[in-house]
C-alpha cells in the first residue's frame, strides 16, 4: 500500500507477493474457511464478491473455485504493485486500483453480495475507520454481507511467549502510534 501507516512491506515486489500469499495461506488454515459458515452459497446462483485491500488477489482466486461459474469477483487495492498479470487470473476475477478510504465509483455501488476485507488495521489511521467502513457498506446489495477479518494489538499472542514476539509488538505498536493507527 502506498500509505504512511502501512508497515508490512517486505521490500522488493516479489518478496511482498510471497509474504502476502504466505499470510493468506496461514490465515486460511487457521480459520479453516474462506467464508463464515453462516454464509451459504447456492451453487446455481452466481454472486458478486468484492475483496478490499486484495493484495495479490489470492483470496478471490481461491474463493472462485467454490462459487458458481458465472460469479463476478472484483479485488480493490490502493496499488497494483502486487497484482498478478490479469491474463493469469480466471476470467471472472478482476483487480482494480482504488483507495478504500475514498468513495467507490458509482458502477460498483450496491452491487455486491459479499464484501471482504482483511487486516486493514495496518493501513488505517484511527480517524479513517468510520469513513472506510461507510465506503465498504455502500458496495453491498441489500442483505449482503460485510466480512472483516481483523485483529488488534490486544489480541496478538504467542504460545509460548517469547522475547522476540514481545519486542516485535513493542516496535510495531510504537510505529503504529506515530503513524496514527488505532491501537485498540
Amino acid at each position: 500500500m502506498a500509505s504512511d501507516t502501512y508497515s508490512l512491506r517486505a521490500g522488493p515486489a516479489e518478496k511482498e507477493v510471497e509474504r502476502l500469499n504466505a499470510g493468506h495461506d496461514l490465515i486460511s488454515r487457521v480459520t479453516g474457511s474462506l467464508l463464515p459458515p453462516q454464509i451459504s452459497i447456492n451453487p446455481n446462483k452466481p454472486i458478486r464478491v468484492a475483496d478490499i485491500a486484495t493484495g495479490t488477489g489470492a483470496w478471490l482466486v481461491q474463493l472462485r473455485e467454490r462459487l458458481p461459474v458465472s460469479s463476478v469477483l472484483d479485488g480493490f487495492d490502493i496499488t497494483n504493485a502486487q497484482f498478478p498479470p490479469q491474463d493469469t487470473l480466471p476470467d471472472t476475477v478482476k483487480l482494480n486500483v482504488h483507495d478504500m478510504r475514498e468513495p467507490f465509483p458509482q458502477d460498483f455501488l450496491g452491487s455486491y453480495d459479499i464484501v471482504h476485507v482483511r487486516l486493514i488495521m495496518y493501513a488505517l489511521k484511527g480517524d479513517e475507520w468510520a469513513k472506510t467502513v461507510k465506503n465498504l457498506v455502500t458496495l453491498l446489495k441489500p442483505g449482503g454481507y460485510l466480512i472483516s477479518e481483523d485483529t488488534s494489538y490486544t489480541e496478538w499472542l504467542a504460545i509460548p511467549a517469547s522475547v522476540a514476539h514481545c519486542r516485535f509488538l513493542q516496535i510495531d505498536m510504537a510505529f503504529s502510534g506515530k503513524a496514527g493507527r488505532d491501537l485498540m
Side-chain angles (χ1 to χ4, degrees):
M1 279 187 160
S3 169
D4 59 355
T5 60
Y6 191 67
S7 61
L8 297 180
R9 270 181 226 87
E14 62 274 0
K15 289 290 186 189
E16 180 68 351
V17 166
E18 188 177 298
R19 184 193 67 76
L20 288 170
N21 287 337
H24 165 72
D25 291 343
L26 176 64
I27 292 169
S28 296
R29 283 195 308 273
V30 168
T31 61
S33 177
L34 296 173
L35 296 174
Q38 298 85 348
I39 299 176
S40 62
I41 303 297
N42 179 338
N44 300 312
K45 184 180 179 214
I47 64 170
R48 290 181 56 103
V49 179
D51 184 31
I52 312 304
T54 196
T56 66
W59 184 85
L60 284 173
V61 171
Q62 201 170 28
L63 181 65
R64 171 69 200 94
E65 298 167 6
R66 296 170 170 86
L67 299 178
V69 169
S70 55
S71 294
V72 173
L73 296 94
D74 292 317
F76 299 90
D77 208 305
I78 196 169
T79 177
N80 64 0
Q82 282 74 47
F83 290 0
Q86 185 63 47
D87 64 356
T88 66
L89 295 170
D91 290 343
T92 57
V93 175
K94 303 282 187 258
L95 302 181
N96 307 276
V97 174
H98 184 79
D99 184 342
M100 65 187 158
R101 297 172 293 192
E102 300 297 327
F104 284 82
Q106 186 70 35
D107 294 351
F108 298 110
L109 302 183
S111 64
Y112 294 99
D113 300 285
I114 296 171
V115 174
H116 172 264
V117 63
R118 180 187 280 168
L119 293 177
I120 60 173
M121 70 175 274
Y122 286 106
L124 297 178
K125 293 181 179 180
D127 63 350
E128 295 173 328
W129 281 90
K131 70 179 175 181
T132 299
V133 171
K134 180 182 173 194
N135 291 337
L136 300 181
V137 170
T138 67
L139 297 171
L140 290 169
K141 290 179 180 177
Y145 295 95
L146 175 60
I147 302 168
S148 176
E149 295 181 274
D150 234 303
T151 188
S152 72
Y153 290 104
T154 61
E155 303 299 321
W156 286 107
L157 75 126
I159 300 173
S162 73
V163 172
H165 180 259
C166 290
R167 184 66 184 132
F168 163 77
L169 287 179
Q170 287 173 334
I171 292 167
D172 198 31
M173 287 179 71
F175 175 86
S176 294
K178 288 178 182 171
R181 283 193 209 145
D182 184 356
L183 295 176
M184 291 292 156

